[in-house]
Every structure is written in structure tokens, then in C-alpha cells.
Amino acid sequence: MRSIFLALGIGFKSLFQIIFYPIFWLVFLLIMIQYRKQGKIEKKILGIERNSAFARALQATFYGIIGGFLGSILMIGLGIPIGQEGLMYLLPIALLLYIINPRYLCFSYAGGLLSLFYLIFGFPKINVEGLMALVAILHFIESFLIYIDGNTDSMPIIIDKGDNLHIGGYHLQRTWPIPIIIITILTSRELAPMAQIEMPKWWPLLKSFEYQDLRDITFSMFSVVAILGYGDIALTQLPKEKVKKSAFRLFLYSIFLLLLSILASKIRIFQWIVALFGPMMHEFIILMGRKEEKKGNPLFILPPQGIRVLEVLQGSAAEKMKIQRGDILYAINDIPVNTKEELMKALDQWPTFVWIQGENCMGEKYTRELKAFPYGLRTLGIIVFPQYSEISYVMQEKESIFERFLNRSKK
């Protein structure tokens, strides 16, 4: 095990160094631009931008570094080498799939397609088990990041279901930079003088069929920066419950994909199985989640009485009173509130003592109190489900670059 820890030490040193490379900060800048766009949409909907783009990108980078270290531990500890040819073709195929449909910008589709192409035509010469194991590790990292950070800055939205029916929900969007260690295979002819570590005989766990004799093989570690993203909509459950379910499914997917990749390094038929399982099961998970949101009972609808809370602003009076998303507020200081205007009127006199009668998502009634001496309370700091919304969204598949080109060419 000493050699494993030595390899981990060298890998962590490489990860630490890449954080200071220009490429890492270029990725950080791209992510900050993405969050800036998200902040503008948030300001349009909520009237405020809850956090700056820099703060969001900084938090995402912090969690991304943790995820990258976890993934690197698995890459080095288990021994998952990837052929250089596989890495060379993976990103271009992913970008090509993105042009066809933005949803396919995922290495599970690109990796599965590349692996199947090799198995059928024998070109390009890639390490199927190593490539799909890398896909598994990246999804393991993604499941971890979704669980701990997927709910951050989730944005309340109004969805137009047609027939004058509007439901409330939340748009979840996070992007993380991931510094991670990649292990590649070098033959003796490709070696340059470098520090070497004698690894245990069982290492690497994934031995390619082309390199069963490891006497003339050396494995090289280097750091890369990847970008992982998560986007979803929560309509039938609270965002924190949505991300837990999504993270758990993705975690199981990554574990099964990794196990199949290990089997594929021992039994050739499993190369076909893992190449098919990767994209097909990923697609099944996405379609299952969409079906649940589409067919399930929406959680955020206009209540027959009271007002529904869509968002509680940080540091607000409502947060101090432990009012949460999805709660229904019936009365303030015994004054019934059924609209946003009635809510504002109830606080028109700047009361110095406020009690609210409401109900949480579980149907439990409550009364919450707050002292606002000496200046009184003017606003609760909540976003309520509106009776009439000027801004609403329609759920539909995002138009691809290819589809936009075809539509413009027809005009």
C-alpha cells in the first residue's frame, strides 16, 4: 500500500499545481460567465440577484476541487488507465453530439458511441474498459457534487402547462470545474527519464487485453481540468429532495458502470455490455426523471386559500421565523392574506410584533412569531406564487444548433 500512497502524493501535488495554471482560471472565467447569465435571469424573475457570479463560481470551484480529489483517489487507487487515443476522440464526439442535441453533451453517450464504433469496426484503437471506467468516475464525482451543491441557488419559476394552468417549480443549474488525475499507458519506446514507483502486482485493476504483459509498460499520471454540469427542474418535490434522488440514481449508475468496466477488462463480452449500458442506462435515468415530473402531482399550485411561498430570501424576517419554500401562509396578525397585495397591506402599518398562521408542505399547521422592535416590519422577504404571472416558461426540449440551422435555412 505504500506505493499507492506515494502515487497519491505525487497525484495530489500535480492537482495542486494545476490550480495555478492559466487553463484552470480560464475554465473558472467561463463558469463565472455562465453564472453571470444565470444571475441576470434571476434578477429578472426575483427582482434581485441573490449572489454575485464571482461568489457562485468560487463556491462551485471549491466543491469541484473536492470532487476532483475524490475522483483522483479512485483513478489512482484502483488503477484505471485510459489509452491516449480514447481521450483524443472523446471530446470531439461529445461536441458533435451536442450539435445534434444539447442533452447529449455527456461523456456517457460519447464514450458508449466511441466504444461501440471500435468494437464493430476496430477503429479507432481504444481501451473500452478504461474509457467507460473514466465515464463512471466522472459520474461518481457528479453524483457527489449534485448531493452537496445541486440545490444551491435553485431558482423559482412559473411553468405554463397550457389551458391557463400555471404551476410553480424550481430550476436547478450548477457548473463545476474538476481538476482530476488521468492515467495513460506508455510503452518502453515512449519513455523519457522520470521518477518511477513500483506498484503492487494486482495494480492496475483494469488491465487491457492489449497489455496483459506489463513488463514493458509504464503508466503516466497527468492532471486535466474537466467541467461538469447539472441542470434539472423540480415541480413535484422540493429541490433538496430532487437533488438527493438524482444524486442517488447517478451514484448507483456510476457504481454499476465501474463494475461492468472491471468485468470488461477480464471478459471480452462485457466490453459490448458496458458500451451499451453506459448511454442506454443514462438515457433511461433522464427519461424516468422527466416522466416523474411530467406525470406527478405538482407541489406548487395556487392554493384555494392563503398564499404559497416559492422563495425565502436569505437574512429575511421569514427566514428568522423558519418559514420555508412550499409553505402556505393564511393570516398575518389575524388578517387573512390571499394575494400579494393583501400581504403588503397586512404589513402596511409596520407592526412591531408579528404572528403568522400557516401550513408547511406536510400539511402541518403552525403559528410563528417575530418581534420587530423598535422600527417594525415592512416586508417578510418572500417570493409568493402569483395569481397572474408576467413571466412563465414552457417545458420543451432545447433546440440544437443543427435544428436552428435547418429552421433558418427553410425561411
Side-chain angles (χ1 to χ4, degrees), residues 53-71:
F54 178 78
R56 296 181 197 219
L58 200 62
Q59 178 176 334
T61 300
F62 172 75
Y63 287 121
I65 291 173
I66 295 175
F69 271 76
L70 289 177

Side-chain angles (χ1 to χ4, degrees), residues 124-145:
K125 194 173 180 63
I126 65 168
N127 177 0
V128 172
E129 56 274 14
L131 185 63
M132 297 310 293
L134 173 62
V135 173
I137 297 297
L138 289 175
H139 281 83
F140 171 82
I141 297 172
E142 186 179 354
S143 69
F144 166 75
L145 293 174

Side-chain angles (χ1 to χ4, degrees), residues 93-154:
I93 292 177
L95 293 175
L96 179 62
L97 291 174
Y98 172 77
I99 293 173
I100 297 172
N101 191 317
R103 185 160 59 83
Y104 296 146
L105 183 62
C106 176
F107 288 146
S108 61
Y109 301 109
L113 186 62
L114 183 58
S115 297
L116 287 171
F117 197 89
Y118 164 70
L119 292 172
I120 295 172
F121 300 104
F123 174 84
K125 194 173 180 63
I126 65 168
N127 177 0
V128 172
E129 56 274 14
L131 185 63
M132 297 310 293
L134 173 62
V135 173
I137 297 297
L138 289 175
H139 281 83
F140 171 82
I141 297 172
E142 186 179 354
S143 69
F144 166 75
L145 293 174
I146 290 173
Y147 185 83
I148 64 171
D149 193 42
N151 179 40
T152 303
D153 291 323
S154 53

